[in-house]
Amino acid sequence: MAELEPNSVPRHIGIIMDGNGRWAKQRGLPRQAGHRRGAEVFKEIARACQARGVQVLTMYAFSTENWKRPKEEVQSIMDLLRRFLKDAKKYRKDNMKLRFLGDRAPLAPDLRALMEETEEGSASNTGMTVNIALNYGGRDEIVHAVRTLAQQVREGTLNPEEIDEAEISHHLYTAGQPDPDLIIRPSGEFRTSNFLLWQSAYAELLFMDVLWPDFTPQHLDQALEEYARRNRRFGGI
Ligand code: IPE
Ligand code: IPE
Ligand code: MG
C-alpha cells in the first residue's frame, strides 16, 4: 500500500457482495452459512477500507430482485442483518457512519427501527461513511426520485426546466455523497445487477474471480492497485 499516492485511493467504493451461495455449496453447507461468513467479511473489509483512507463505502446487501428467493433464505438474510445491527454498538470504536440505501417500506418494523437507531447513533461519527444497500434497486431509486419531482411540479414548487442532473442526484438515496469511483464485483459475474445505476456513470468497474466469503484485504489491495493504474478521462482526452 505504501506506494499508492493518497489521491489515487478512491473516495467512494461500491462492492457487490456476491458469491455467498456458491461458497457454501462448495463446502456442502446451507446457503445461510455463506451469508453468515459474508457478513463477517463485510466487517473486515469495511475496516480495511477505512484504514486505507476511503471516505464512502457502499455495500450491496439485498437487491429489490432478491425477494424472488425462497422465503427461508430471505428470512435468514434479514435475521443476519438484525443480529449485525443489534451488535452495531460494539463497533462504535470504529467511528463509522452507517446509512441505509433502499426502500424501507416492505421491511419488518423492528428491523426498520434498528436501522434508524443505527443511523442516528452513528451520525456524529467522523470516520468513513458505510452505506448498506438493502432492498435497493438502481431503477427503483430513480423511480422514487422522479415521483418526488413530479409531485413538486404538480404542487407548483418546481419548474420542469429546473430539473437537471444535480436535481436528480439530490433526490437519490446517496444525496450529498460523491459518486462511486470504483465498483468491485467479486464472484466472477460480469454485471452490476441494478447497483448504483445513476451514480456509476463514470465508475471504474472491476470484476474479480473470487467469491465474497473468500475476499480478503489482499484482494482489496489488488483492486486498489488496479484502480490506481486506470486512466480516468470523463469524456476528455
Ligand atoms: C450474495 O450472494 C448475497 C445476496 C445476493 C443477498 P448470493 O446469495 O447471490 O450467492 P450466489 O451468487 O448464489 O453464489
Ligand atoms: C447482486 O447479487 C445483489 C447483491 C449482491 C445483494 P445477485 O446474486 O442477486 O445478482 P444476480 O442475480 O446474479 O444478477
Ligand atoms: Mg449471487
Side-chain angles (χ1 to χ4, degrees):
M1 282 314 296
E3 64 271 21
L4 286 187
E5 298 277 322
N7 64 1
S8 63
V9 174
R11 268 214 295 175
H12 181 174
I13 299 183
I15 301 184
I16 301 169
M17 301 187 283
D18 193 26
N20 296 350
R22 279 163 282 174
W23 181 90
K25 193 169 180 207
Q26 281 177 354
R27 284 161 179 76
L29 297 170
R31 292 177 61 87
Q32 286 93 303
H35 296 312
R36 215 161 29 235
R37 170 81 193 142
E40 292 304 313
V41 171
F42 162 88
K43 288 181 239 169
E44 186 184 17
I45 297 304
R47 290 190 180 119
C49 284
Q50 172 151 274
R52 285 153 183 74
V54 173
Q55 292 170 25
V56 183
L57 175 67
T58 302
M59 300 292 238
Y60 206 3
F62 192 87
S63 76
T64 47
E65 287 71 39
N66 286 145
W67 298 103
K68 291 176 191 156
R69 297 186 178 202
K71 258 214 327 258
E72 309 71 59
E73 180 165 348
V74 171
Q75 189 62 47
S76 79
I77 294 169
M78 297 299 167
D79 283 344
L80 262 174
L81 198 86
R82 252 187 208 96
R83 205 161 327 140
F84 169 78
L85 292 180
K86 285 183 180 156
D87 283 355
K89 289 191 187 79
K90 285 194 220 152
Y91 312 126
R92 282 253 160 97
K93 60 176 177 352
D94 288 322
N95 196 26
M96 294 175 192
K97 257 195 251 291
L98 278 159
R99 309 261 355 215
F100 291 90
L101 314 182
D103 180 7
R104 302 177 190 207
L107 303 176
D110 72 300
L111 186 57
R112 289 168 59 177
L114 274 171
M115 289 159 67
E116 279 161 29
E117 271 171 44
T118 306
E119 287 183 332
E120 285 162 18
S122 67
S124 58
N125 287 352
T126 52
M128 183 175 74
T129 296
V130 181
N131 297 317
I132 300 179
L134 180 67
N135 192 29
Y136 174 87
R139 288 186 171 183
D140 185 63
E141 179 181 40
I142 293 168
V143 167
H144 279 270
V146 168
R147 216 176 265 160
T148 306
L149 295 173
Q151 188 74 30
Q152 293 175 2
V153 170
R154 183 166 69 185
E155 287 162 0
T157 56
L158 181 73
N159 287 320
E161 298 73 32
E162 287 167 336
I163 300 175
D164 56 11
E165 294 187 9
E167 191 60 26
I168 291 178
S169 294
H170 183 68
H171 285 87
L172 302 178
Y173 297 121
T174 49
Q177 299 183 353
D179 284 339
D181 301 296
L182 172 65
I183 290 181
I184 303 172
R185 182 168 195 157
S187 91
E189 309 291 355
F190 296 95
R191 54 177 175 267
T192 55
S193 304
N194 206 10
F195 187 50
L196 301 178
L197 269 189
W198 172 277
Q199 299 89 331
S200 66
Y202 269 99
E204 294 296 326
L205 305 180
L206 183 57
F207 300 96
M208 298 179 80
D209 200 10
V210 53
L211 301 173
W212 175 250
D214 288 325
F215 199 94
T216 63
Q218 288 70 46
H219 291 103
L220 176 68
D221 288 337
Q222 271 175 34
L224 293 178
E225 282 160 26
E226 166 68 23
Y227 174 81
R229 282 193 293 272
R230 301 267 179 105
N231 180 6
R232 303 183 77 189
R233 286 186 290 276
F234 300 98
I237 53 170

